[in-house]
Amino acid sequence: MTRFSRFFLGVISAAALAACGAPAASAPTSAPAATSAVTAAPAETTAPAAEATAPAASGEPFKVAIVMPSSTTDLAWSQSMYDALVAVQQEMGGESAMQISVSENMFNVTDAAAALRDYASAGNDLVIAHGTQYGTSLFDLAKEFPETSFAWGTATDTGADKGLANIFAYNAKAEEGGYVNGVLAASLSKAGKIGVIGPVEAGDAKTYIDGFEKGVKDTKPDATVAKIYTGGFGDTAKAAEAATTQIAAGADVLTGSAQQVVGAIGVAKDKGIPWFGTQSDQSSLAPSLVVATQVYDWKAVVKDMIAKIHAGTLGGTAYNLELKDGGLKIVYNSGFTLPAEAKAAADKAIAGLTDGSIKPLP
Amino acid sequence: MAYGAMLRGAFGSLPGLAQTLAKATPLLLVALGIIIAFRAKVTNIGGEGQLIAGAMAATAFALALPTWPGWLLLPLTALVGALAGGLWALVPGLLKARLAVNEILTTVMMNAIAVQLMNFLLRGPMLDPAQVAAGTNIPQSAALPEQVWLARLIPRTLLHAGFFLAVALAALVAVLLWRTTLGYRIRAVGLSPAASRYAGIPVERVTALAMVLSGAFCGLAGAVEVMGIHHRVVEGITGNYGFNGIVAALFGGLHPLGAIPASVLFGALLVGADQMQRSVQVPAALITMLNGLVVLMVVSSALWRQRRAARRQSAVAAPSPAPAASAEPLPPT
Amino acid sequence: MADFFTWTTLLGILHSTVRLATPYLYAAVGETFAQRSGVVNLGVEGMMLMGAFAGFYVVFTTGSPLAGVLAAALVGALMGALMALVSVTFRAEQGISGIGLHLVGLGLSSMLFKLLLGTVQGVDGLPELRLPLLADIPAIGPVLFQHSILVYMAFLLVPIAAWVLDRTTWGLNIRAVGDNPQAADAAGVPVLLIRYATVTLGGALAGVGGASLSISALNIFQENMTGGIGFIAVALVYFGGWRPYGVLLGVLLFSLVNSIQLWMQVSGVGIASDLAVMMPYVLTIVALAFSTRRLGQPSALTKPFTRGSA
């Protein structure tokens, strides 16, 4: 049996690797680590931990592994974290300072658990489980690998009550950016009809949409927010049709979430309807119609985790992306001309959310 | 040498082997269900939906009775999962038997319905109270009471007692199909419905029953996956086992005993592929494509095997063993 | 609920139905040809994805939507020919080869997307083609006669396919090969060649169906963007009793209920979204249960042909 399968796998792998010209080269993280170049460590300062981005004193690169449920190019949840890792890698001085290993499209939780275990065994300094559904296996794993640092999100539980000290949790307060987008959308809408295209009524899609709706209502109490859920995350065709339906029903501003929205943005672009995004910057798809995107910027979180690990703390912090600390950013698209009063209303909302005077959830 | 990583990943170490067997467990259970259906000429594409039904029902049942002792609750939970899977398959089974509605269509539709039903339950009635309290609303159920967790066989791996249950059931299905009246009827209906009807076999009832049995095994796979691996229902609980189980069943030559090595081999292929993604850092898409090519090559190679088998012996009473499950190497072509 | 039964809603539902039906029609009509000749191809989804990518990439690089459609058809046909090689020549089990083919299409299209594009991007796809006079009919005109060329072609395919299958010698041969390949072979019909042709044609149409998403409806490509359309399309061939008009009915019913549930959600009809999304699937099953017993299945469906074995 093994001879048989080896024969096939050999043939296929050889053919595939030959055909694609060593696809490994296309993965940005596959090059073997160069263990020579040691960038000079900056002098010890009392600056925030984010400064401590030099490789460990040993000269070994800092090794990060991440397991994610969708692909690194989904313009949504997975990409938000992947982009942050790559950005931090650039800041630290490239692959010689930090190595990233990725397992993408791991929607099968059992496989994800195996991947996390493997990465922990392989001596990664930080293993990131980028999906709440991976949590159950992560806690078992953290017990077994007390020397390894783990992170998971979206979550708020670091396992401290279970006696675990090597888990970071991270969470995005999607309702905050949702609220700001809602304020902007209400200001832009002439018809007072705003459309939402959601995946499934759960997780951060739900909190984003709840916040969005409250932002609209607080700005224009008589405006209506119509919501369509497609029932999945990646069905672009259905998301496009949902957007068309919203527009036909009179919506003159749209927003939506999950990787399916690229379909909806295409429709918004065709019909000239302003779009509000979340998770990753989607301006590239409709340069003149994406008004603003709530961007999850995990960079500070990643840097802080790395700094803490260097300092010997392997977990215990629960991070929350908020507007307050810049983890959530409202990125305005320069290609869309926003009326001054809308911008002012949004700034006021950001200020209110930051000082706590505005509650983004109903 | 990417495929070296693949083989090492699947068989080369204790954790790798444990992972392979852990993956083979649901594959085998689903495959057994598919085999029963196929033997009656019922094409069950609905494994995904039946698996969801089993996982959801088993979870709801165990959560409702957290104080019951394990010796009673554990088998009952598994049974409830099997029953729910069977019920989910009853609709396509009855439609086929009574109204001659093609089951490929209805099972595909039932899969989509099951997914939406799960979405619905996991954001309301069955949502983990802890998720509500935290305001995160991640769609997953509360954790099962610990007495229904299946024992882990090897510490620090995911391999659980469900694997042996699956292997035992494979033997049981072999007995069922070849040593009981019901099994005889199932195979007779599969070979020739007209002749079976002439022989006095209630064809409609046997057809529906084969589908329900098939669904029961898929439902059991869902329950076992919850009890052995996740201890709760999470997003992506099916892990595509409902479809991959069909592949395993066909690899196993539609024979319950052939399905054992076929499930392990196919499990190894999937595990090894993931391993390859990690060690060589190729995109997941390449692995998906390679898996597809392997499947195509393996089914294509069946032709040469059949030819050789046909030369060796004619008139085979029992079904020939699986192309992939037999250990002889291919003739180099 | 009150504002659900309005002209806007009804016309909107009709409009959505036409658009939603388009990719299903290409895939299902193509699959009808394959199945009538006795080959079930479960790999339609993978073929659509390859077509969607090929079409998008060609438009992205050349700017020519027409070249994109041709590329999609060609790549789909290649995938179909691969399926034919495996299932007709190698006589492999069809269900499993289809799943294998789907995995190849899914993996290859995603990988090429990552290598060649790297991120989701938009293109200017096929423009809307306003049919003169017809599009001026009040209310109905803009709904039915203002679409991209691929939408009209999808609906034109149905009568063409029906005519080919029922009225031409080639169609007769296809049906003969699907119902009784031994007899067809004895009568001198090239069984394997016919099956190669139908499965390849099915692949080409599935490819165009994929392109109808990537360069007409959405103008983007994303990994796994078809989201199960191919599998539903295979099921709808059964629904349609292996006849193009029956397939059209099934596709329209499915798309109609799908657009009704979208409109119900928009109108704020008080129904849980998950239950709304479920509706097309439930109603397809119900419709089947209440439709008359139709026995149109080609007798040799899924059976590989070997000369001399009955």
Side-chain angles (χ1 to χ4, degrees):
Chain A
M1 185 153 69
T2 45
R3 256 194 302 171
F4 162 82
S5 55
R6 188 174 310 155
F7 167 78
F8 266 138
L9 294 178
V11 169
I12 292 168
S13 311
L17 293 175
C20 338
S26 70
T29 56
S30 56
T35 47
S36 53
V38 181
T39 48
E44 278 299 310
T45 57
T46 49
E51 283 297 315
T53 50
S58 64
E60 284 287 311
F62 187 88
K63 289 166 76 182
V64 181
I66 180 163
V67 176
M68 42 179 57
S70 43
S71 89
T72 54
T73 50
D74 67 355
L75 274 185
W77 168 245
S78 292
Q79 186 168 349
S80 72
M81 181 55 93
Y82 182 72
D83 286 354
L85 288 173
V86 173
V88 172
Q89 182 187 42
Q90 295 297 331
E91 275 183 41
M92 283 173 66
E95 298 215 349
S96 56
M98 174 175 162
Q99 268 183 43
I100 309 170
S101 311
V102 184
S103 288
E104 54 177 359
N105 292 334
M106 303 295 275
F107 51 84
N108 180 329
V109 188
T110 318
D111 297 347
L116 292 166
R117 172 174 301 280
D118 260 20
Y119 282 137
S121 312
N124 281 288
D125 302 293
L126 173 62
V127 177
I128 304 176
H130 195 54
T132 312
Q133 61 271 41
Y134 305 154
T136 317
S137 56
L138 188 78
F139 280 23
D140 299 345
L141 209 55
K143 267 201 222 53
E144 292 171 34
F145 293 92
E147 303 299 303
T148 308
S149 178
F150 295 91
W152 72 307
T154 54
T156 50
D157 183 3
T158 64
D161 54 345
K162 299 184 183 65
L164 293 166
N166 56 335
I167 298 181
F168 294 107
Y170 54 90
N171 184 34
K173 288 205 161 174
E175 64 271 21
E176 291 193 353
Y179 187 93
V180 179
N181 276 354
V183 170
L184 283 166
S187 314
L188 284 183
S189 176
K190 293 184 180 62
K193 282 189 164 180
I194 293 158
V196 177
I197 296 111
V200 174
E201 285 182 72
D204 66 344
K206 182 172 167 25
T207 51
Y208 170 76
I209 291 167
D210 286 350
F212 182 86
E213 199 167 7
K214 185 152 190 293
V216 171
K217 291 285 180 199
D218 286 357
T219 312
K220 265 199 193 156
D222 58 343
T224 55
V225 178
K227 290 173 289 201
I228 295 185
Y229 289 94
T230 57
F233 292 87
D235 195 337
T236 43
K238 210 184 247 174
E241 199 49 51
T244 313
T245 304
Q246 291 279 21
I247 296 165
D252 59 355
V253 181
L254 291 176
T255 188
S257 104
Q259 57 267 35
Q260 58 176 6
V261 297
V262 292
I265 297 170
V267 171
K269 182 180 161 199
D270 278 354
K271 299 272 195 284
I273 302 287
W275 174 268
F276 290 89
T278 182
Q279 294 183 327
S280 288
D281 191 355
Q282 295 151 347
S283 311
S284 60
L285 282 179
S288 60
L289 284 160
V290 173
V291 184
T293 309
Q294 157 174 262
V295 173
Y296 292 3
D297 186 351
W298 302 105
K299 271 207 299 290
V301 172
V302 172
K303 281 184 189 168
D304 196 64
M305 288 194 288
I306 294 174
K308 282 203 166 71
I309 293 166
H310 278 317
T313 311
L314 297 182
T317 312
Y319 296 95
N320 243 329
L321 286 195
E322 292 172 314
L323 289 166
K324 191 163 54 195
D325 54 21
L328 292 179
K329 287 192 177 67
I330 303 294
V331 176
Y332 294 101
N333 175 12
S334 53
F336 185 92
T337 320
L338 197 63
E341 65 270 22
K343 178 82 168 60
D347 288 340
K348 214 170 101 203
I350 293 174
L353 289 162
T354 306
D355 66 26
S357 60
I358 294 179
K359 293 280 170 280
L361 283 175
Chain B
M1 283 326 221
Y3 71 92
M6 207 155 168
L7 287 172
R8 270 200 306 279
F11 292 118
S13 65
L14 190 63
L17 184 65
Q19 178 67 15
T20 295
L21 297 181
K23 213 167 165 79
T25 306
L27 284 176
L28 178 53
L29 286 168
V30 171
L32 293 175
I34 303 298
I35 287 166
I36 294 172
F38 268 58
R39 287 281 170 185
K41 254 217 183 53
V42 177
T43 313
N44 181 7
I45 310 281
E48 289 278 298
Q50 292 143 14
L51 200 143
I52 289 175
M56 296 300 287
T59 304
F61 178 79
L63 286 175
L65 305 164
T67 54
W68 285 29
W71 61 266
L72 183 63
L73 189 60
L74 194 143
L76 279 180
T77 305
L79 198 64
V80 165
L83 278 174
L87 268 178
W88 203 252
L90 182 66
V91 176
L94 279 180
L95 285 172
K96 181 179 171 71
R98 288 289 156 111
L99 302 168
V101 174
N102 191 287
E103 71 281 9
I104 288 189
L105 174 74
T106 46
T107 49
V108 166
M109 299 282 164
M110 290 296 280
N111 285 344
I113 294 170
V115 169
Q116 293 310 324
L117 199 60
M118 176 167 76
N119 285 346
F120 176 71
L121 290 171
L122 283 186
R123 65 179 176 83
M126 281 180 70
L127 179 61
D128 184 358
Q131 288 290 341
V132 181
T136 39
N137 291 310
I138 303 293
Q140 55 184 34
S141 74
L144 294 181
E146 294 204 15
Q147 65 267 34
V148 298
W149 295 12
L150 293 170
R152 292 271 160 91
L153 299 177
I154 301 176
R156 308 181 52 163
T157 69
L158 291 173
L159 180 59
H160 55 84
F163 178 70
F164 290 113
L165 174 72
V167 171
L169 283 172
L172 196 73
V173 171
V175 172
L176 169 89
L177 282 173
W178 280 279
R179 293 280 179 276
T180 66
T181 313
L182 175 63
Y184 164 76
R185 287 178 161 189
I186 286 177
R187 286 180 299 120
V189 167
L191 287 169
S192 169
S196 306
R197 205 182 303 277
Y198 185 72
I201 295 174
V203 174
E204 279 81 14
R205 197 178 310 162
V206 171
T207 303
L209 193 60
M211 187 57 139
V212 168
L213 271 175
S214 180
F217 274 95
C218 296
L220 181 64
V224 165
E225 195 65 357
V226 169
M227 294 156 74
I229 305 263
H230 309 295
H231 306 147
R232 62 173 59 191
V233 176
V234 292
E235 262 187 301
I237 184 85
T238 68
N240 257 344
Y241 292 129
F243 288 118
N244 286 338
I246 301 174
V247 179
L250 291 157
F251 271 178
L254 291 178
H255 192 291
L257 298 180
I260 301 173
S263 301
V264 172
L265 182 75
F266 196 54
L269 182 72
L270 297 171
V271 169
D274 278 342
Q275 180 77 24
M276 198 162 116
Q277 191 197 341
R278 288 195 289 279
S279 58
V280 195
Q281 282 295 308
V282 290
L286 174 68
I287 306 292
T288 308
M289 187 183 86
L290 287 182
N291 274 347
L293 285 174
V294 169
V295 168
L296 286 180
M297 294 230 173
V298 170
V299 285
S300 302
S301 69
L303 179 68
W304 287 288
R305 294 177 176 286
Q306 277 166 4
R307 278 193 185 162
R308 208 140 31 95
R311 274 206 298 274
R312 277 203 211 117
Q313 51 181 10
S314 50
V316 188
S320 60
S326 66
E328 48 186 356
L330 271 188
T333 43
Chain C
M1 192 79 214
D3 60 355
F4 184 66
F5 295 100
T6 61
W7 270 116
T8 315
T9 310
L10 293 179
L11 287 174
I13 287 174
L14 195 59
H15 209 167
S16 292
T17 304
V18 171
R19 270 192 314 264
L20 280 170
T22 303
Y24 289 96
L25 275 176
Y26 282 108
V29 170
E31 177 76 4
T32 305
F33 277 99
Q35 291 200 14
R36 276 309 267 277
S37 76
V39 181
V40 168
N41 179 1
L42 280 180
V44 175
E45 177 93 352
M47 303 196 296
M48 288 181 84
L49 281 165
M50 286 303 290
F53 179 79
F56 181 88
Y57 188 67
V58 166
V59 174
F60 184 76
T61 45
T62 67
S64 158
L66 184 66
V69 174
L70 290 175
L74 185 70
V75 168
L78 283 173
M79 292 287 286
L82 175 65
M83 175 72 192
L85 177 74
V86 171
S87 61
V88 177
T89 302
F90 295 153
R91 299 207 294 275
E93 209 288 329
Q94 288 170 13
I96 195 171
S97 356
I99 291 174
L101 190 81
H102 162 58
L103 289 176
V104 170
L106 171 65
L108 189 56
S109 61
S110 302
M111 199 172 69
L112 292 172
F113 164 75
K114 270 197 190 310
L115 289 175
L116 300 173
L117 296 168
T119 172
V120 180
Q121 322 201 38
V123 290
D124 291 327
L126 288 156
E128 275 188 355
L129 195 66
R130 225 172 154 274
L131 297 186
L133 294 181
L134 288 172
D136 297 331
I137 304 169
I140 295 286
V143 171
L144 295 184
F145 304 111
Q146 201 168 333
H147 291 285
S148 96
I149 181 94
L150 283 181
V151 177
Y152 303 121
M153 274 174 44
F155 284 86
L156 272 177
L157 255 183
V158 175
I160 294 172
W163 178 77
V164 168
L165 281 170
D166 293 339
R167 297 263 180 274
T168 65
T169 317
W170 191 54
L172 180 70
N173 286 346
I174 290 174
R175 284 179 289 136
V177 166
D179 279 326
N180 194 339
Q182 304 301 337
D185 183 53
V189 178
V191 175
L192 301 188
L193 192 68
I194 294 263
R195 286 187 174 175
Y196 258 89
T198 55
V199 178
T200 306
L201 174 67
L205 288 174
V208 176
S212 79
L213 292 172
S214 67
I215 59 176
S216 163
L218 310 179
N219 294 334
I220 53 139
F221 179 86
Q222 196 194 29
E223 294 173 59
N224 198 10
M225 70 187 289
T226 45
I229 289 175
F231 286 101
I232 299 286
V234 174
L236 288 172
V237 174
Y238 286 83
F239 184 102
W242 293 272
R243 290 193 304 271
Y245 285 111
V247 168
L248 174 68
L249 185 74
V251 169
L252 283 178
L253 177 83
F254 186 81
S255 306
L256 176 69
V257 179
N258 221 334
S259 56
I260 286 177
Q261 68 92 6
L262 289 173
W263 277 91
M264 277 171 72
Q265 288 195 54
V266 153
S267 314
V269 176
I271 178 172
S273 62
D274 327 274
L275 304 182
V277 173
M278 218 187 269
M279 280 171 42
Y281 306 97
V282 174
L283 273 157
T284 309
I285 293 181
V286 171
L288 267 177
F290 283 100
S291 60
T292 48
R293 291 175 74 134
R294 272 186 312 212
L295 298 169
Q297 178 161 344
S299 321
L301 199 64
T302 75
K303 295 192 185 84
F305 172 71
T306 323
R307 186 167 286 179
S309 70

